Amino acid sequence: MNEERGSPERTWDTCREVPSIEDEQTPWKLIKLLKIITLIAVSLLVFGLALCSKASFLVLITLANDLTKTLPANQKPVALLCIGCCLIASSVLLLLKSFWKACYKTSKLPRVATVALVIFFEFLVSGGAAILTIVAMPHLDIVTNVTILNGVAILSALLQVIAQCTAKERNRYLLPSIASIVLILLGYGLFVYLYITKNLSDTKMATWVGLAVGGSLLMSFNWWESYFRVISKNSDSIFLKRLCRDMNKCENILHIISSLLRIVVTACILGAYVPLAKMDWSVVTSIPSYETKIIVIAVGVQLVSSALCHWFALAACKMHALRRGFILPLYLASLAVMALFVIPIVVYYQDYKKITPGAAAFQEYCLSVIGRTPTQTDSVFHQLALDATQTLCFLDMSNKVDIGILTGLSASWWLGLLLATIHLWHLNVNRIQRTQDLFIRRLYEGAFIEQSLLLNTRFDIQIKGRKKCRMVEPAMVYLCATMWHETYEEMMKIIISIFRLDKYRPKVDPKYNDFTFEAHIYFDDAFEHNERFDGCHLNKYAKDLVEIITEVYGIFTNMNDKFFKKKHDIPNQKIIKTSYGGRLIITMPSGNNIVVHFKDKELIRHKKRWSQVMYLYYLLGYKLMTKYYKRLQRGETEDDLKYDIKKEKHNTYLLALDGDTDFQPASVMLLIDRLKMYPRVGAACGRIHPTGSGPAVWFQKFEYAVSHWLQKTAEHVIGCVLCSPGCFSLFRAEALMDDNVMKRYSTKSTEASHYIQYDQGEDRWLCTLLLKQGWRVEYNAASDAFTNAPEDFKELYNQRRRWGPSTLGNVIDLLGDTNVISKRNPSMSKPYLLYQLFGLISAILAPATICLLVAGSLAFLFEMNSAGALVVSVIPPIIYIIICFKLKSDSQIAAAGVLSIMYAFLMLVVTMSIIGAMVKEKTILAPSSMFVVIMAGIYICTAILHPQEFLLVFYGLIYILCIPSAYLLLTIYSMVNMNNVSWGTRETKPAAGAEKPAAPNPKKTMDKAKTSFQRFFSCTKCCKKYSQMSEEGQLNVNQENVIPDGSESEPLPQNSIVDDPGNVQHMEMDIISETASPIASDWIEELQDLSSCCEMKLDVGSLDQEETLFWEELQNKYLQPLPDDKERQKKVASDLKELRNKITFAFFMINALWLVATFTLQLYSSIFAIHFPKVEFNVTGSFVDIVVIRNTTIAPDVQVEPISFMFILGFAFSVLVQFIAMMFHRVTTLIHYVAFLDTEPRERKPEEEDFYFAAKKVESVVSQAESTTTSQDDSWDEDSEDEFYSMQNRNATATTLA
């Protein structure tokens, strides 16, 4: 019976039609290859840069030695000065960075005790570093100089022992730390013995040795802060805890103080030592060119390689390449530097022995090295190798004892550093780690880069017997999607995405506890009130959603049925009648829930913003906060609850989705990473890809690409993103529940400006509220999401008609509070707001700029006067402005369509004319030429840096043709129709009364032999395409009780696919005729009947009394349907028109003034024009000669109007900033994505599992066949084996189809 119950009803019907479930758009093989290449490149760069930094610094040390010949003795102060520059370079960078943060971000003043302690330690460290490198190391040999810097780990090892002892645990690395101390002390002992015993009467050498030991010991205090933090956690000392807390809050001020102190102390020691060493500073101003070149190259390599090595080492840690990209390369760097200096010494010594018979002693070789006279024709590398050899001449390198002692002290110091940092091999690093969590100090030491990076890394106590992990609080993610009139295919995308996430992070038997989720779908206007039947019923969009959920549920349940199709029973789900309509609760196969809220517009306020207010108060106000008020009433204190509330608000996220969003689980994880690692990030958005077909979509694909490539990356890097789109954005509950955010977002529009700013671009307004409260909004380019874009010209114009004024209003709102926002939000500095102001001005002047572009083209094509061409170019926009004020919306869009086609042909001619002008004038310095060349170069380079999206560049050709339509006509249309606050997309024709009755005698189109049940579902599937026809009930034509303008009374565009309206009508009539007689009297019964046909049973449930009361109170306070107040509607409509008139007057006057100013300057171009010498490009054969002509009699100069020139400069600067920011953002995105791939294991594909099990089965069956049928013919065996392999291939094919 069980087997029969598990079999399908029709065993012969085994083929399936399954939508795309797996991530088929991500090139995983290419990404894996990119990951491997990136990790190898970063590891090699860290190793190579550390090698260059250390080697160049030791070259400067060698040049400062008294006996070296490459730099004459009287020029030694130059080498010492360069060593000092290397010491303070990082302090200068830290000073600038800390000063910037102190000015534009919140900074507190530290306590006096904290300042005193920091000054004390920084004085010791800076003094020790200067004494060691400037005073002592120039008098030591090259081998000792390479390894003595490893001795600075002695105090770190000592503090590790103290920190691990105070932890009172069985620590894993206590013995290595003790061994490190012993080895470093042994190295110091051998070092002192080697130098002192050579000449006991040499007091100077004893002084240098003492200074070297003392300087390195003082330098070892550099990383005291890392261990004090660990000790304070396990200590009861109030002083230590206050010290660490103060250092965290006041780090910018403390870094400024410490940087200034280091610079001053280093300068004082350097300035005092040179006169004491009887050297003269005056030689610095008279260095020969040969020595200058050597010094500059050495210093340049040292400074650049140190900074880059620090950056790439940090990148390696963030990419989870801690061992292979950070620790190992830095360990090997010291050995490589040793080999770099010692091998040439040995090679040159062996060459000397070959060319000088009988001279086998090293001391004789030293005499020849010391007595040489270098010339400028000699190789610099050869001279530096001989100088390094000269530092070893005080030792007898032929004596095995000296070689043994030198090798012993070097090995002891190197092994001591290795044991002091061995805990790094087991350091736990999060996927996207903040710099301050990886490195305790921002400062790196350029003089000994590998030691500073290894010892500056965070120290954690490692416990024996278990691996100590840094606990990350699990997050709660609410997926909140808003729906209205999405098509069947669009709803299918988001439901599959939610089920895909359910499989990725199952609630039943979870493998990971990083986050759990719950999906909520808020369905606007889900009911239709039919006069022919009593009660309300779900409309076809809501019914389609239920059918889609059932279909997707079956797909994910039957995913593993590859060969035999089985019948899986869908568990009973729950349906609830609520005060706002109804609720459907679906438990997905892996245990997570989908909650569908069906909204009745007669019971609760509809439209997208109010759906968002609905889930904000339900999820954050009721579900998050109510339980804590209960605990407070039970007697728990507020102090006890405060931490729990703050932690839950901080780790609760809302993923805002549209009803047609398609996303992968990896995209959600990448957004969660941003909010987990950066506590002040209130929202994060991903890369939105528009989908669809047709010229309108092609234009939007390139527009979205450029916007994300340049604009959003620039906002993210130099400030923060101004708009996180509501189709795919993750918000932090703590940010949404902040003052003046969620409460103000639920404000009802009362003024004309509110309708534009609040309701037309609700996602941008929500981000504006977050930014004003000091929260940061970020952009993650690796988090991809796909959403349907308007495919119709009319729908695109109506969509942008909403977005344009809303964007303008929100940006002006931010700029109006510049002083307050720049103080409250660390990411919104005044320079960044100035950048946004320039972007706003550019957007306002876009129509005039297009007119100037057209005028220049007309002047070139028809050889017109510039003034006359400008007059002709403004005539079509003026005519279109008149059309927009006088005619209806459809007529305006029709006129825009005609003008867009005309402008497209003109833009094609314009592009060719600009190229022709460059060829004819032999210059690219004309404004239009520069515009085209710069933009083309920027877009191509940007596309190259986005290889997976490079093909979008070809859509740029359509984008160029549509520039006048997008920046001239669309701007005029959106500004003039600002008073129209209807949604404009996905709207259906409003009905004057009830639903239209069906025709009395509909013609049936299905085969009569089919059952009524089959006809019903066949027609339903056929009608999926027509999910936005007008028979779906009456729509509310008012937006927040606003009566649109009389010219807007006709229906707005539909987002539908219409094949044959007549057939649609016949099909719907069939359905009505077949279901009219047994129709359910209530929507619950109707939905139960529909779901039972789909093999999913719905049990009726109810809300508890407390939640019922919550919904009633929420509806009464915020979501009550607005009354139909005709007088108020007329007043608001009048106010909107008045606001429209004021704004459009100012807008068009600014553009007119810009054109008039340009027109005047063109009339008097001989007086006001800026003259540039013409730069000609003479192409001859395969050579291009660039000639600057300054003789105006040969060729006239290029003339540019001052206003145009300043605008071009501003535009070029803005694009340059965006391009640099984009490059930086690409690197950080790559780091994050590589870390994600390294830490988020991908499940084995079903194909791999099937091949594995099939191969096992073949192997066992074949072996069994061989053992039992050895007497049969070989041909039978071959046929059997072929049959088994063919079965394996069929199995794999079925897997691929699934």
Side-chain angles (χ1 to χ4, degrees), residues 6-285:
S7 301
E9 296 178 359
R10 294 177 295 273
T11 56
W12 52 268
D13 189 11
T14 58
C15 299
R16 300 186 300 173
E17 180 181 0
V18 181
S20 176
I21 296 175
E22 299 295 333
D23 185 5
E24 299 177 352
Q25 298 183 357
T26 303
W28 288 111
K29 292 184 178 179
L30 180 63
I31 289 176
K32 186 176 181 180
L33 178 62
L34 179 63
K35 170 192 169 183
I36 296 173
I37 294 174
T38 302
L39 293 177
I40 294 175
V42 170
S43 302
L44 293 177
L45 283 171
V46 171
F47 173 76
L49 292 170
L51 177 65
C52 293
S53 174
K54 190 69 169 286
S56 57
F57 183 76
L58 291 174
V59 166
L60 293 174
I61 295 291
T62 304
L63 292 177
N65 190 286
D66 293 335
L67 302 177
T68 55
K69 301 293 185 178
T70 304
L71 196 66
N74 62 336
Q75 297 176 7
K76 299 302 180 183
V78 179
L80 296 176
L81 180 62
C82 293
I83 295 173
C85 292
C86 296
L87 289 177
I88 66 172
S90 58
S91 298
V92 173
L93 295 177
L94 180 62
L95 176 64
L96 296 176
K97 183 176 182 179
S98 302
F99 186 77
W100 171 267
K101 289 190 173 184
C103 292
Y104 293 103
K105 296 187 178 182
T106 55
S107 296
K108 297 182 179 180
L109 294 176
R111 296 184 301 116
V112 176
T114 305
V115 175
L117 189 64
V118 170
I119 290 177
F120 172 73
F121 280 113
E122 293 299 323
F123 179 79
L124 295 180
V125 171
S126 56
I131 291 173
L132 175 63
T133 57
I134 297 175
V135 180
M137 287 179 65
H139 300 89
L140 305 179
D141 66 277
I142 187 63
V143 176
T144 303
N145 285 336
V146 170
T147 56
I148 193 174
L149 299 177
N150 295 328
V152 299
I154 183 170
L155 185 64
S156 296
L158 179 61
L159 292 176
Q160 287 177 19
V161 174
I162 298 174
Q164 294 178 90
C165 291
T166 56
K168 300 178 182 180
E169 295 279 356
R170 298 177 64 247
N171 304 302
R172 298 178 61 183
Y173 296 112
L174 182 59
L175 290 179
S177 299
I178 296 174
S180 174
I181 297 174
V182 173
L183 286 172
I184 294 175
L185 291 177
L186 176 62
Y188 281 125
L190 294 175
F191 165 64
V192 173
Y193 175 81
L194 178 64
Y195 273 81
I196 298 300
T197 56
K198 282 297 177 182
N199 189 356
L200 296 176
S201 61
D202 191 353
T203 56
K204 286 188 177 181
M205 182 56 67
T207 303
W208 306 138
V209 171
L211 290 176
V213 175
S216 62
L217 292 176
L218 291 177
M219 185 63 213
S220 63
F221 282 91
N222 193 29
W223 301 279
W224 63 274
E225 183 180 345
S226 174
Y227 305 98
F228 270 44
R229 294 177 188 270
V230 178
I231 295 172
S232 66
K233 293 179 182 178
N234 303 311
S235 174
D236 297 331
S237 175
I238 299 177
F239 173 77
L240 287 179
K241 294 184 182 298
R242 287 181 178 177
L243 173 67
C244 296
R245 191 183 309 115
D246 206 26
M247 294 180 67
N248 284 332
K249 294 181 179 180
C250 312
E251 59 178 358
N252 291 326
I253 303 298
L254 292 175
H255 285 152
I256 292 175
I257 295 173
S258 63
S259 300
L260 290 174
L261 182 63
R262 286 189 176 222
I263 294 172
V264 171
V265 171
T266 303
C268 291
I269 292 178
L270 178 61
Y273 173 69
V274 171
L276 290 175
K278 298 180 180 180
M279 292 183 285
D280 190 4
W281 279 114
S282 60
V283 72
V284 175
T285 60

Side-chain angles (χ1 to χ4, degrees), residues 579 1107-1117 1120:
S579 59
E1107 187 173 349
T1108 302
L1109 179 61
F1110 157 75
W1111 284 113
E1112 292 175 354
E1113 293 177 349
L1114 179 65
Q1115 289 173 245
N1116 293 332
K1117 186 172 179 60
Q1120 192 72 25

Side-chain angles (χ1 to χ4, degrees), residues 30-42 45 311-312 315-316 318-321 431-432 670 674 779-783 945-948 1222-1238:
L30 180 63
I31 289 176
K32 186 176 181 180
L33 178 62
L34 179 63
K35 170 192 169 183
I36 296 173
I37 294 174
T38 302
L39 293 177
I40 294 175
V42 170
L45 283 171
W311 192 90
F312 279 104
K318 289 188 174 184
M319 289 191 297
H320 272 247
R431 178 180 298 146
I432 175 173
L670 292 170
R674 305 300 303 184
Y779 164 62
N780 190 301
S783 178
L945 294 175
H946 297 75
Q948 74 280 11
M1222 180 271 301
M1223 294 181 65
F1224 179 79
H1225 192 268
R1226 292 306 293 168
V1227 175
T1228 56
T1229 302
L1230 178 63
I1231 292 172
H1232 185 188
Y1233 201 63
V1234 170
F1236 173 79
L1237 294 175
D1238 198 53

Side-chain angles (χ1 to χ4, degrees), residues 628-883:
Y628 291 106
Y629 279 99
K630 291 181 180 179
R631 292 172 58 182
L632 185 64
Q633 293 172 359
R634 289 197 296 263
E636 297 188 43
T637 62
E638 185 176 348
D639 293 335
D640 296 335
L641 298 175
K642 188 182 299 183
Y643 174 76
D644 293 339
I645 295 174
K646 186 175 181 180
K647 182 176 69 174
E648 185 171 0
K649 289 165 64 175
H650 186 78
N651 295 308
T652 300
Y653 309 138
L654 269 66
L655 181 64
L657 300 168
D658 279 351
D660 59 352
T661 304
D662 183 14
F663 61 90
Q664 294 291 333
S667 299
V668 181
M669 291 298 302
L670 292 170
L671 293 184
I672 292 175
D673 287 343
R674 305 300 303 184
L675 270 67
K676 275 190 174 182
M677 286 297 103
Y678 300 97
R680 289 307 299 173
V681 174
C685 62
R687 167 71 165 94
I688 309 301
H689 300 265
T691 59
S693 59
V697 177
W698 299 339
F699 167 81
Q700 292 174 85
K701 285 186 176 182
F702 186 79
E703 182 193 31
Y704 273 65
V706 172
S707 174
H708 287 85
W709 290 351
L710 296 175
Q711 183 178 347
K712 280 199 182 299
T713 54
E715 290 178 348
H716 174 95
V717 172
I718 65 178
C720 65
V721 178
L722 299 188
C723 178
S724 187
C727 60
F728 188 71
S729 294
L730 192 67
F731 294 89
R732 191 189 301 275
E734 184 182 7
L736 295 172
M737 299 174 72
D738 202 355
D739 296 338
N740 301 321
V741 180
M742 196 167 82
K743 180 71 174 178
R744 191 175 179 187
Y745 189 69
S746 58
T747 302
K748 184 176 66 176
S749 301
T750 56
E751 301 177 5
S753 60
H754 294 172
Y755 291 96
I756 297 173
Q757 184 179 1
Y758 296 179
D759 298 323
Q760 299 298 284
E762 70 290 329
D763 47 3
R764 183 174 284 272
W765 185 46
L766 180 59
C767 292
T768 299
L769 297 177
L770 292 175
L771 295 174
K772 285 187 172 183
Q773 286 302 118
W775 293 95
R776 176 173 171 80
V777 181
E778 291 195 345
Y779 164 62
N780 190 301
S783 178
D784 296 304
F786 301 83
T787 183
N788 280 26
E791 298 182 355
D792 183 71
F793 182 79
K794 179 180 179 181
E795 190 175 3
L796 175 61
Y797 258 55
N798 280 314
Q799 182 195 65
R800 300 309 169 91
R801 182 255 301 160
R802 287 190 294 110
W803 290 1
S806 173
T807 301
L808 185 68
N810 280 280
V811 173
I812 292 176
D813 188 10
L814 287 173
L815 295 176
D817 295 333
T818 298
N819 293 328
V820 177
I821 293 176
S822 60
K823 292 180 181 179
R824 185 177 296 174
N825 195 328
S827 300
M828 301 284 287
S829 61
K830 289 183 178 180
Y832 174 67
L833 292 173
L834 180 63
Y835 163 81
Q836 290 294 339
L837 176 62
F838 179 79
L840 177 65
I841 294 174
S842 300
I844 293 175
L845 295 178
T849 305
I850 298 300
C851 291
L852 292 174
L853 181 65
V854 173
S857 303
L858 293 175
F860 177 80
L861 289 175
F862 303 104
E863 298 182 353
M864 297 174 60
N865 190 326
S866 299
L870 183 59
V871 172
V872 173
S873 66
V874 299
I875 293 177
I878 293 176
I879 295 175
Y880 186 65
I881 291 174
I882 297 173
I883 292 175

